[in-house]
Amino acid sequence: ISSDDLHLVYQPKIDLRDGSVAGAEALVRWRLPNGDVRYPADFIPAAESSGLIVQLGERVMHDACVQARVWDAKAPEGWRVAVNVSGRQLETDSFVETLDAILVDTGLKPERLEIELTESLIMRDADTTIDTLRRLRELGVEVSVDDFGTGYSSLSYLKRLPIDRLKVDRAFIHEAAVDN
């Protein structure tokens, strides 16, 4: 984590109304000394089980905020960078404070950051998660639910959640279309 082997790539988020780039999602990669690249599925489970995911997540968050700050001057209003957050990260007592410190350190405006959480993560301890999501929104950070439709929540349950965006899982949409 402390080496330069980890780097971020950015997937553009496109506004379907006009085709403009509305933001980017930061995705971590691990470049091995021989030049090979490892994708998150190859190392995130080990980081989760070892507890290193908290340090890894903080590094990703910091690096994404640094890059977003560079883009900030040229980015249109409403543009933001999205960063995935793991359950272990979110469950630390200091998550919101750490995120706030990263924003202060990098100079990124909170409204330029979007946190992505999976549906299953939110459902694991909904009451605690809702409190954390409220605190994030009080900072000005936007919150998205990623992979909706892969877990057990319902659309009516979403009304309780202080979220800004819902990213519906592709398989869920495909199954809904096939079931009709």
Side-chain angles (χ1 to χ4, degrees):
I1 293 172
S2 62
S3 72
D4 286 331
D5 296 343
L6 296 175
H7 69 282
L8 299 181
V9 296
Y10 295 89
Q11 177 175 304
K13 295 174 85 172
I14 307 299
D15 185 330
L16 295 178
R17 294 172 292 194
D18 62 10
S20 65
V21 176
E25 182 175 355
L27 305 168
V28 67
R29 302 291 186 258
W30 179 11
R31 187 178 302 117
L32 301 178
N34 68 3
D36 289 348
V37 174
R38 295 286 182 255
Y39 294 90
D42 296 331
F43 62 90
I44 294 294
E48 285 275 1
S49 65
S50 70
L52 289 173
I53 193 68
V54 174
Q55 286 176 272
L56 174 64
E58 287 176 13
R59 163 89 186 268
V60 167
M61 186 72 66
H62 186 273
D63 291 356
C65 288
V66 166
Q67 182 60 59
R69 182 71 176 99
V70 170
W71 290 331
D72 194 31
K74 296 180 182 178
E77 189 172 326
W79 191 97
R80 63 189 46 84
V81 66
V83 179
N84 293 292
V85 172
S86 80
R88 281 206 173 183
Q89 260 183 288
L90 191 70
E91 292 164 355
T92 63
D93 292 336
S94 61
F95 175 72
V96 176
E97 291 77 15
T98 299
L99 177 58
D100 188 35
I102 289 171
L103 290 167
V104 169
D105 180 56
T106 61
L108 185 67
K109 298 177 214 163
E111 60 270 16
R112 293 295 200 179
L113 180 63
E114 179 178 339
I115 299 298
E116 291 192 2
L117 309 165
T118 62
E119 174 188 11
S120 59
L121 167 60
I122 291 172
M123 298 307 294
R124 195 162 52 199
D125 184 1
D127 291 333
T128 301
T129 302
I130 287 171
D131 180 58
T132 302
L133 297 181
R134 283 193 181 111
R135 291 175 58 213
L136 288 170
R137 293 194 66 211
E138 287 170 7
L139 279 179
V141 173
E142 297 216 350
V143 178
S144 293
V145 175
D146 197 6
D147 295 333
F148 182 79
T150 60
Y152 306 103
S153 62
S154 67
L155 288 173
S156 63
Y157 181 79
L158 291 176
K159 287 194 251 180
R160 289 186 54 206
L161 301 176
I163 61 171
D164 300 288
R165 279 179 196 68
L166 185 66
K167 292 173 65 177
V168 180
D169 186 76
R170 182 181 315 205
F172 181 81
I173 293 171
H174 176 73
E175 288 174 18
V178 171
D179 285 347
N180 287 332

